[in-house]
Amino acid sequence: MTSPDAVPGLDALRPRLPSPVQERADERFTRRGLRLLLKRDDLIHPELIGNKWRKLAPNLAAADGRTVLTFGGAYSNHLRATAAAGRLLGLPTVGVVRGHELAGRPLNPSLARCAADGMRLHFVDRAAYRRKSDPRVLAAVLRETGAEGAYVVPEGGSNTAAVRGCVALGEELRGRADVVAVACGTGGTLAGLAAGLGPGQRALGVPVLRGGFLSGEVRALQTAAFGGPRGDWWLDEWFHFGGYARTTPELDAFAQDFEARHGLPVERLYVAKLLYGLLALAEEGAFARGTTVAAVVTGAPFAA
Ligand SMILES: *Cc1c(COP(=O)(O)O)cnc(C)c1O
């Protein structure tokens, strides 16, 4: 199995691995006999943050110097991480962005960062974007961007190499917690994490998208990466707040309060929903007294 810190060329980027595990005293948990740990994957690397490091590192090794082409929305953490990797490693990168209407307009701060890191941006309409794994659509994109021969990483970065790269996240938490919780987009991080945990440990995924499709995706990712299901994991689909990038005043207030209590910069697209969900579950009595819950801090807020 590829260990990200053993990827040639990537160790020069000095990832902080294993990432720190920090206990936080939070009376909302301690009152219920629960311990809260933060797995600080946000500290692995200042630009290839969190699970983006774990998922990209094996892919960057596999790209072996070729152009890396990948996909994302206008605020994608994955696109920014790929662009940063391209700059740091001297790899050409192409970002295929959902939303033809964005072409020719001023770039938002996230895409502006991608462009500043040297990523070539290619905007496609939503219908084509949806069909991006269709070989003919992909071939057309590669042709139009002049990137034939590129190493293609799927949207969100979740392929077999990425899922295997996230096994180490679980391994780093062996014996440390009873429940390890992570926010999910594609589910690739959960798929690998669950496979790396030890006996008796369970992984909880909190999807930030609506839809209820994720458990099938996680199973498919595990089957592709490991040949079958691995680990003991479940999903709680109640904390998407209306869908990707949706928020409410209550969620914002919660995140601000968490930042003030714990001095942790709370990434809003994923980490805020995870932490909110864990607190709600703790308050409902979903975890037995004596449970240690580790929340994976998969990212950090983007500062333009
Ligand atoms: C990309 C991302 C995720 C989602 O990871 P998946 O492997 O797609 O489920 C979670 N948290 C943060 C901060 C992310 O940037």
Side-chain angles (χ1 to χ4, degrees), residues 49 51-52 55 77-78 156 158 182-190 267 270-271 298-300:
I49 301 171
N51 63 352
K52 299 302 179 278
K55 290 164 59 162
N77 290 339
H78 166 67
S158 285
V182 68
C184 300
T186 63
T189 306
L190 175 65
E267 191 271 350
Y270 294 92
V271 179
T298 43

Side-chain angles (χ1 to χ4, degrees), residues 102-115:
L102 300 172
R105 289 215 224 137
L107 298 175
N108 74 36
S110 185
L111 292 175
R113 173 72 62 82
C114 292

Side-chain angles (χ1 to χ4, degrees), residues 16-24 36-44 49-51 54 166-174 176-177 179-183 189 193 197 258 264-265 271 274-275 278 292-300:
R16 186 168 173 193
L17 288 167
S19 65
V21 177
Q22 301 170 342
E23 178 156 8
R24 292 298 157 111
L36 175 66
L37 307 180
L38 300 178
K39 173 65 169 162
R40 298 294 305 274
D41 265 16
D42 58 313
L43 301 178
I44 292 176
I49 301 171
N51 63 352
R54 296 191 189 270
C166 291
V167 171
L169 169 58
E171 289 169 348
E172 290 171 25
L173 286 161
R174 284 202 182 173
R176 306 290 295 264
V179 174
V180 177
V182 68
T189 306
L193 156 69
L197 291 175
F258 198 95
L264 176 83
V271 179
L274 169 70
L275 294 170
L278 284 180
T292 298
V293 179
V296 183
V297 183
T298 43

Side-chain angles (χ1 to χ4, degrees), residues 45 68 99 119 139 145 147 156 192 217 226 231 243 289:
H45 189 275
V68 175
M119 177 174 264
T145 55
E217 302 276 308
F226 312 119
R289 292 191 82 80

